[in-house]
Amino acid sequence: MKAYRVTAAGQRPSLVEVPAPQPGPGEVAVEIAACGLNFADLLMVEGTYQDTPPAPFTLGIELAGTVTALGEGVAGLAAGDRVGVFGGRGGLAEAGCFPADRCLQLPDAMPFHIAAAFLVAYGTSHLALAHRARLTTGERLVVTGAAGGVGLTAVELGAKLGAEVVAIARGADKLEVARTAGATHLIEATSDDIRGQLKALGGIDVLYDTVGDPLFGECFRAARPEARLLAIGFAGGKVPQIKANHLLVKNLTVSGLYWGGYMGFAPEVLTGSLKELMGLWETGGLDPHVSHRLPLDEIDAAMELIRTRRSTGKVVVEPRR
């Protein structure tokens, strides 16, 4: 089978032929129909992601497909089940084996390319806004990188939670995508005095930041007293350095959110969130945005869309397309 693998640390990944794996105890084999790309895939290539596995490994942290075989001790799943999987690796291949407890049965009507774009993006934003920040109706939510994979879901979910959403993104096309998802106010990421623009709106109650400095610093200085600031990622490449005395003076809270980390210490929080989100999708309450769908043979082009930030929402690779 084909798989997109990092064969040695520091080397560029390549599409190679590898033997099809067999499920071990507690695992299921999945015929992969779609894999959602994430910024984390780029970090894994560079070896800088917090959960980068040792080489060799297959990239692709989230996927959707059909169960084809069960390993010893697996209950609650059967061959033929349609599943979404947060595997942490292995999604950019024609097949793979994954822990059964990382598989979520999909609604019958959910297409595989939507499922593969759903787990990390919506899961991250739901836990960040509802669980960590406790966002409430009427609060002002500012989202940076607002047209990206997770940022766009934060705009959508924030609006559904009753917040006044301010989207910060680069370019008119991306800002329009954020407006369609529910943003009330739009700010061009390259404009001057973002802090002043945010203050003119009344300041920030909750910040959902995917970019890092210098944009984080501009937003930080526009925070209202008792604001909650969420560090989601650092796509801009610069990690903010936060002065604790500023937190004290304005009674601010800064929280990190690594969605996959919940699998290790509170998996029930993560799975409960996903089940709630799946229910929202089934009732028409969510509208996942996939800007590009490419076959596995075009994986390098798909990765470049993420690297150059030319996509909006999610990029999905379909190995059997």
Side-chain angles (χ1 to χ4, degrees):
M1 70 174 197
K2 293 179 180 179
Y4 191 59
R5 289 177 68 78
V6 174
T7 55
Q11 291 190 4
R12 288 181 58 84
S14 57
L15 193 59
V16 298
E17 291 282 344
V18 297
Q22 299 299 315
E27 292 184 335
V28 297
V30 177
E31 180 180 271
I32 298 171
C35 177
L37 296 191
N38 291 273
F39 191 72
D41 293 307
L42 297 179
L43 298 180
M44 281 191 182
V45 172
E46 298 168 0
T48 57
Y49 189 59
Q50 60 264 25
D51 274 349
T52 301
F57 66 93
T58 298
L59 288 160
I61 68 175
E62 63 176 331
L63 61 114
T66 304
V67 174
T68 58
L70 308 179
E72 182 182 352
V74 173
L77 290 170
D81 283 350
R82 303 171 73 256
V83 293
V85 186
F86 172 65
R89 70 189 79 171
L92 286 169
E94 293 178 316
C97 292
F98 306 95
D101 61 5
R102 288 182 171 236
C103 298
L104 180 70
Q105 291 191 320
L106 300 175
D108 291 340
M110 178 176 271
F112 284 128
H113 75 279
I114 294 296
F118 194 91
L119 302 180
V120 172
Y122 280 101
T124 295
S125 293
H126 188 249
L127 282 188
L129 297 177
H131 180 69
R132 296 288 280 163
R134 307 290 182 185
L135 181 69
T136 60
T137 299
E139 290 190 307
R140 186 171 297 110
L141 167 68
V142 173
V143 181
T144 67
V150 293
L152 193 60
T153 61
V155 171
E156 184 181 5
L157 288 171
K160 290 187 182 304
L161 289 169
E164 176 188 337
V165 182
V166 182
I168 302 178
R170 188 183 296 262
D173 290 346
K174 290 186 176 182
L175 287 170
E176 177 59 22
V177 169
R179 186 198 64 77
T180 301
T184 303
H185 307 285
L186 308 175
I187 295 178
E188 165 60 51
T190 61
S191 63
D192 294 331
D193 194 20
I194 289 177
R195 172 193 180 189
Q197 293 182 64
L198 292 171
K199 280 185 167 291
L201 292 173
I204 296 172
D205 295 306
V206 174
L207 171 65
Y208 183 104
D209 179 53
T210 69
V211 176
D213 269 344
L215 191 51
F216 178 92
E218 290 290 300
C219 295
F220 184 91
R221 291 191 288 274
R224 292 166 50 84
E226 293 194 329
R228 289 92 73 205
L229 313 174
L230 294 160
I232 306 299
F234 314 108
K238 189 173 181 181
V239 178
Q241 303 301 305
I242 300 166
K243 294 183 178 180
N245 60 318
H246 292 182
L247 301 179
L248 181 152
V249 170
K250 296 181 75 172
N251 292 291
L252 303 179
T253 300
V254 179
S255 300
L257 194 287
Y258 168 42
W259 180 75
Y262 279 85
M263 288 298 299
F265 68 89
E268 71 284 354
V269 173
L270 187 149
T271 55
S273 168
L274 285 176
K275 288 176 181 178
E276 183 176 342
L277 289 166
M278 287 292 180
L280 283 172
W281 181 86
E282 285 191 279
T283 59
L286 297 175
D287 185 20
H289 179 84
V290 176
S291 65
H292 295 81
R293 297 167 63 183
L294 292 89
L296 187 58
D297 287 345
E298 296 181 26
I299 178 57
D300 287 330
M303 294 284 280
E304 193 64 15
L305 288 169
I306 303 295
R307 183 177 291 107
T308 58
R309 304 182 196 178
R310 287 186 288 119
S311 59
T312 54
K314 295 286 284 192
V315 174
V316 172
V317 173
E318 296 170 297
R320 299 178 182 276
R321 185 175 179 184

